[in-house]
Amino acid sequence: MKNLHIEHPEDTILTGDLSVLDAFQSDNHYSVKIDGSPAIVWGTDPENGKFFVGTKSVFNKRTPKVNYSIQDIERNHPDFELNSILIRCFNCLPRIGFEGRIFQGDFIGYGGYRDYKPNAVSYTFDTVQNVGVVVAPHTEYKGTTLKDMNAEPLIEKLDPTTFVQPSAWLGERGATMDIDMMIGFARQMATLVDFATPKEAKQLKQDLNAYIRDGDEVVAEEFANYQLVRLWLLVESIKTEFMELMRDDFKCDCFLGNDYINGEGYVMHSKHGVYKLVDRETFSYYNFNIIRS
């Protein structure tokens, strides 16, 4: 897969895939989810050995926009803001020591400041970011050509003086007994559920997002397949309990509007899949209504 699309745990169960329940009880790799924009892709093109920068458009099937020079950036990206960001990334992202590799990260801003607001979340770092460009890497691509790349969550820690890449881990597991009980109940409930087809699940996600967008409580009985929505709500509550156990070393204060928050959330990765742990009622509601308006 060219782009690593990460789902909410509760959304993944709609078609009957219960892998996330195994993930909640497994050893996972965790990372802090950074709310940066735009997504930056950079590294070495395996076909010609040249360094490049770009957006996810480097993977376009028909017209890939791969920038090997500033002239390429100016031709492929006439928008002034994006053009400026990519030129700074081209000049400042490190090349030595990363030859032959391709990364994706979230752009946070230009170096020299403590305060940033790249998207919905505002960040105040504990120190001035003394780098040319502030980027949070999260994905590595592997393959023989840009057209056949496979995306993998970036587990390796890169240079901490160059990149924003805080560690995350699951805290004291004393409360996981309740989570295990909830997971057991979810497995039992799943035996009584008529799961959705992919087409039905797509529509159901849209309907559920409409509730979140409007700030309304999701009431299972208001849906035709109320048993499936009950299971969705249970898995969402498991995720919420799980997030209460998460810890990180992100030395930064995070704000959503004027409200202090712990951050956007986390990403959980294991052999059972990759999932984003986000408080949808808070963050997604804000994203739907503030950012998109």
Side-chain angles (χ1 to χ4, degrees), residues 276-291:
K276 54 185 174 184
L277 310 178
V278 175
D279 179 358
R280 296 174 81 170
E281 283 70 22
T282 298
F283 185 83
S284 297
Y285 172 80
Y286 185 92
N287 196 35
F288 276 131
N289 290 282
I290 305 300
I291 298 300

Side-chain angles (χ1 to χ4, degrees), residues 7 13 22 29 31-32 51 56 67 70 72 82 95 98 101 109 112 157-160 177 188 259 275 281 287:
E7 292 272 14
I13 59 91
D22 295 316
H29 173 265
S31 59
V32 176
F51 177 82
K56 288 183 284 188
N67 305 296
I70 293 176
D72 289 340
L82 179 57
R95 310 183 189 192
F98 299 100
R101 304 178 71 180
K157 290 295 183 183
L158 304 182
D159 184 354
M177 181 178 298
Q188 292 179 353
D259 298 326
Y275 307 93
E281 283 70 22
N287 196 35

Side-chain angles (χ1 to χ4, degrees), residues 15 22-23 39 44 59 78 86 92 116-117 119 123 125 142 193 225 227 255 260 264 283 285:
T15 58
D22 295 316
T44 306
F59 301 121
L86 290 176
C92 296
Y116 295 90
K117 191 178 185 301
N119 204 20
Y123 296 102
F125 290 87
K142 297 181 180 180
V193 169
N225 193 343
Q227 289 182 320
F255 300 87
Y260 179 84
E264 183 185 3
F283 185 83
Y285 172 80

Side-chain angles (χ1 to χ4, degrees), residues 69-87:
S69 65
I70 293 176
Q71 290 73 24
D72 289 340
I73 296 172
E74 293 174 338
R75 181 178 62 255
N76 290 328
H77 304 279
D79 177 80
F80 177 76
E81 183 177 5
L82 179 57
N83 180 290
S84 301
I85 290 171
L86 290 176
I87 290 175

Side-chain angles (χ1 to χ4, degrees), residues 3 16 46 49 64 66 69 72 90 95 115 137 140 142 144 149 181 188 197 214-215 224 257-258 260 266 270 280-281:
N3 293 315
V66 188
S69 65
D72 289 340
F90 186 83
R95 310 183 189 192
D115 300 316
E140 182 167 9
K142 297 181 180 180
T144 56
M149 287 285 153
M181 291 176 62
Q188 292 179 353
T197 65
D214 295 339
N258 294 322
Y260 179 84
Y266 301 92
S270 73
R280 296 174 81 170
E281 283 70 22

Side-chain angles (χ1 to χ4, degrees), residues 194-261:
D194 290 327
F195 288 102
T197 65
K199 183 178 180 180
E200 292 169 341
K202 182 179 180 180
Q203 181 60 54
L204 186 51
K205 287 181 189 179
Q206 293 176 357
D207 295 341
L208 290 163
N209 279 330
Y211 274 72
I212 296 169
R213 181 181 63 245
D214 295 339
D216 294 333
E217 179 185 0
V218 175
V219 179
E221 287 69 25
E222 295 179 2
F223 292 80
N225 193 343
Y226 65 90
Q227 289 182 320
L228 179 54
V229 178
R230 282 179 179 174
L231 179 60
W232 183 92
L233 287 167
L234 177 57
V235 175
E236 185 190 36
S237 65
I238 293 171
K239 176 195 71 177
T240 301
E241 292 294 322
F242 201 85
M243 289 179 65
E244 290 293 325
L245 300 177
M246 291 300 305
R247 302 290 182 269
D248 63 69
D249 62 1
F250 193 17
K251 296 179 180 179
C252 186
D253 290 329
C254 305
F255 300 87
L256 192 61
N258 294 322
D259 298 326
Y260 179 84
I261 60 172

